[in-house]
Amino acid sequence: MRRIATALSLLLASTACTTVPSEGGSMRAGEPMVSPILTGADAVDSMTYAQPQVARVTHVDLDLALDFDRKRVTGVANLDILARPDAGAIVLDSNGLEIVGVRDGAGNPLAWKLGDTVSEGGKGAPLTITMGNAREVQIQYASAPDAEALQWLTPEQTAGGEYPYLFSQGQAILNRTWIPTQDSPGIRQTWAARITAPKPLDVVMSGVRQGEPEDLGNGRRAFRFVMDKPVPPYLIAIAAGDIDFAAIGPRTGVWAEPSTLARARAEVGDTEEMVEAAEELYGDYRWGRYDMIVLPPSFPYGGMENPVMTFLTPTFIAGDRSNNGLVAHELAHSWSGNLVTNAVWEDSWLNEGVTSYFENRIVEAVYGKKRAEQEAALSFANIEETLAEVGMNAPGTALHHSTDGAEIGSAITYDKGHFFLRTVESIAGRERFDAWLRQWFDNHAFQPATSQLFYDDMMANLVRNDAEAEQLALREWIFQPGLPSNVARPDPAAFAEVDSAVQAYAASSSIPVVYNGWTSAERMRFLDNIPKERSAAQLSELDRQLGLSTTQNNEILFLWLELALANRYEPAVPQAEQFLARVGRAKFVRPLFQVLWSEGEWGRPIAKRIYAKTRPSYHAVTRGAVDRVLGMTS
Ligand code: BES
Ligand code: ZN
């Protein structure tokens, strides 16, 4: 009874305004923690059907079987609901779920209805359950074989070649293809799961594994997981396959297929140090363990910040830890994104921009100022290039921007967000800024946030006077397009040597002999800035002297292939073909198809030929992105 009273008063309190319990939600010993919701107009999520002010999910309990033959998860989702006394129904999100039946906590059948599916944008359909006075519902269901969050890999698509593999990708609104809940970043839920899988597969999730797996005696094992902290549902994630674990530090470790594990473990060897550096900066790591899984190369992103289990692409492994900004980034999300979460996707910069800034601070602490400044300079170049392309007035270049505009990529949400915080830091001073950011995470822990809330908090807790407010130009940064003139530019010295090498090469085709002594960031800067139009002879000379087509670093290889294909360089075609067959990361795959496509009668047949072979191996995210480039969307 008390639980309901507490929960109800919370619902009402948070409905009245944005006053929320200071510790991030109500928590009493033995009771699940419930986070507040935000109810202002700026926190209304257009991507969900849920009406959280009427009825909302506070806890999800999954009991699911992984069916690799039919590419389905099947089972039951048990939801705890917090609702207004007069709420007779709850609306959930579904995209393609096959609902078998719905019951209340006592097992009585409940009426339910799947509405019309919106074809655009992946919003799916509302699942409305008539619950009467019930505040617990059990949904028996199966995911569809083409559920976009899930990629089912055949044994041939894994490194080991012997066992199938499954992984999920929830952000932004894909989890509604395998979990019937309210799929909105502002509606936090605790969760638990029991997952059965065929032996000898191991299962990991973005929750803490409970004990040893239970042998069910039928060739399957059951794994149990708990996430007792309320998280936005896009952070519920699963992976299953022939995977092993290697410890790094006392609370850090990495999972991967056996044949990848040693390389993976070596690459992420600095992770425990990174966690320590992050805690030193912005307060305790609140999630217990920090483990990672290095997935098969079809994982569509570089990384995904699934709590206690970051998901990583294997393509970041270069052998020299040079792409470990990725690990710093996903780790930083344990504060920005997972602790304090954008309430709506229009405020993604609160997740990604703040994280990109935090990432750079971790890189500085662990790898030093020089590397951090170089990575910041690459980030700044991305802003400049993008603004030059789309224009300073394009509405999508405000940090807070609509999600249905043209795809601008990472330059605004990530890089402009990063440089916003860097600018505030440079004006307020590091000490004062760090104290502010730390209190932001502490005071909004396990809660959603909006741009307006961020602005209000800076005005209340950071800005000292009118003069400073004017100097900071916070509203311009957050709500106006373009780049404010007070931006704290990167140190031009960061790439002084590379930039003069670029000039020398542009003037006289002299290839820098020092290239092989350069950092990865320096090499990327060089390749990104040399003249875009190159003859076959020039490309061949670059490749011969710099070993571009044989590099172990996929970031460099990608830049080489992009440059070469843009110049219709035939020897790069088989290299690109191999790369596109090996790698499914959208950041690499989409632009390469884009370049081929823009090379008209030369490139389009090549793009079509390659894509016909590689498309089936890509995750739905990457497939969708390339389909759009090749005009294959219906
Ligand atoms: N949360 C993102 C990945 C993401 C973004 C998934 C938007 C779905 C929608 C993740 O933290 C990320 O930013 N990954 C980057 C890493 C990079 C910036 C270091 C990536 O995948 O490239
Ligand atoms: Zn991120």
Side-chain angles (χ1 to χ4, degrees), residues 468-492:
E468 194 175 60
E470 194 171 332
Q471 199 189 352
L472 285 165
L474 301 178
R475 293 205 73 84
E476 185 187 350
W477 268 102
I478 298 172
F479 296 108
Q480 302 294 316
L483 191 63
S485 59
N486 68 352
V487 61
R489 291 171 183 275
D491 182 357

Side-chain angles (χ1 to χ4, degrees), residues 171 303-305 329-330 333 336 351-353 355-356 359 414:
Q171 195 183 0
M304 179 64 212
E305 64 269 26
H329 180 98
E330 304 315 334
H333 273 305
S336 39
N351 282 16
E352 300 300 345
T355 293
S356 298
E359 165 196 338
Y414 288 70

Side-chain angles (χ1 to χ4, degrees), residues 442-516:
D442 283 343
N443 292 330
H444 299 270
F446 304 109
Q447 293 174 29
T450 61
S451 281
Q452 186 64 41
L453 196 62
F454 189 90
Y455 170 83
D456 291 343
D457 199 290
M458 275 199 162
M459 289 303 282
N461 299 317
L462 176 71
V463 178
R464 280 199 288 217
N465 50 45
D466 290 353
E468 194 175 60
E470 194 171 332
Q471 199 189 352
L472 285 165
L474 301 178
R475 293 205 73 84
E476 185 187 350
W477 268 102
I478 298 172
F479 296 108
Q480 302 294 316
L483 191 63
S485 59
N486 68 352
V487 61
R489 291 171 183 275
D491 182 357
F495 284 128
E497 185 189 342
V498 184
D499 292 346
S500 59
V502 166
Q503 302 229 308
Y505 175 72
S508 61
S509 292
S510 64
I511 295 175
V513 282
V514 289
Y515 176 89
N516 284 314

Side-chain angles (χ1 to χ4, degrees), residues 81-352:
I81 292 159
L82 177 60
R84 280 198 327 227
D86 62 333
I90 182 164
V91 186
L92 311 176
D93 293 297
S94 164
N95 190 356
L97 296 175
E98 294 176 18
I99 308 296
V100 180
V102 182
R103 296 175 182 275
D104 66 14
N108 305 307
L110 295 175
W112 57 274
K113 180 178 179 293
L114 260 179
D116 293 335
T117 297
V118 170
S119 53
E120 284 284 289
K123 192 172 170 182
L127 169 59
T128 305
I129 296 171
T130 307
M131 60 182 181
N133 294 324
R135 292 299 179 257
E136 187 185 334
V137 299
Q138 298 181 356
I139 305 163
Q140 199 187 342
Y141 75 101
S143 62
D146 61 353
E148 280 183 60
L150 303 177
Q151 190 174 15
W152 302 87
L153 300 176
T154 63
E156 300 73 48
Q157 289 175 285
T158 66
E162 229 181 303
Y163 301 102
Y165 201 107
L166 165 70
F167 66 81
S168 71
Q169 166 58 41
Q171 195 183 0
I173 57 167
L174 302 181
N175 268 351
R176 62 192 65 178
T177 66
W178 75 286
I179 305 173
T181 188
Q182 293 176 320
D183 189 12
S184 175
I187 310 176
R188 306 180 79 94
Q189 298 148 41
T190 53
W191 62 269
R194 175 182 177 273
I195 308 285
T196 75
K199 292 205 291 195
L201 304 195
D202 255 300
V203 181
V204 296
M205 288 189 83
S206 53
V208 179
R209 193 152 126 176
Q210 309 288 299
E212 288 302 307
E214 175 194 356
D215 198 320
L216 300 175
N218 58 355
R220 297 178 72 85
R221 295 191 296 173
F223 298 77
R224 288 177 185 274
F225 304 88
V226 169
M227 173 47 68
D228 63 358
K229 298 168 182 63
V231 294
Y234 72 85
L235 290 177
I236 306 177
I238 189 168
D242 175 21
I243 49 175
D244 284 339
F245 177 77
I248 301 166
R251 58 178 158 178
T252 47
V254 61
W255 291 84
E257 282 193 73
S259 65
T260 314
L261 189 59
R263 282 171 63 236
R265 165 69 185 74
E267 204 72 7
V268 299
D270 300 320
T271 307
E272 186 74 31
E273 241 180 291
M274 287 187 179
V275 180
E276 284 165 13
E279 288 191 303
E280 188 66 31
L281 283 164
Y282 299 122
D284 289 349
Y285 177 76
R286 303 196 192 210
W287 305 87
R289 291 198 57 85
Y290 183 75
D291 291 324
M292 296 160 280
I293 178 167
V294 174
L295 293 153
S298 66
F299 184 60
Y301 292 105
M304 179 64 212
E305 64 269 26
N306 300 130
V308 309
M309 187 65 66
T310 279
F311 282 23
L312 296 171
T313 175
T315 65
F316 86 105
I317 299 175
D320 60 3
R321 305 187 181 182
S322 59
N323 294 325
N324 281 10
L326 173 68
V327 177
H329 180 98
E330 304 315 334
L331 169 64
H333 273 305
S334 306
W335 288 259
S336 39
N338 298 2
L339 213 49
V340 188
T341 311
N342 53 232
V344 295
W345 296 112
E346 288 83 353
D347 281 331
S348 282
W349 75 274
L350 290 173
N351 282 16
E352 300 300 345

Side-chain angles (χ1 to χ4, degrees), residues 263 315-319 323 547-548 550-555 557:
R263 282 171 63 236
T315 65
F316 86 105
I317 299 175
N323 294 325
L548 297 173
T550 54
T551 174
Q552 295 304 299
N553 186 325
N554 288 303
E555 298 279 351
L557 182 57

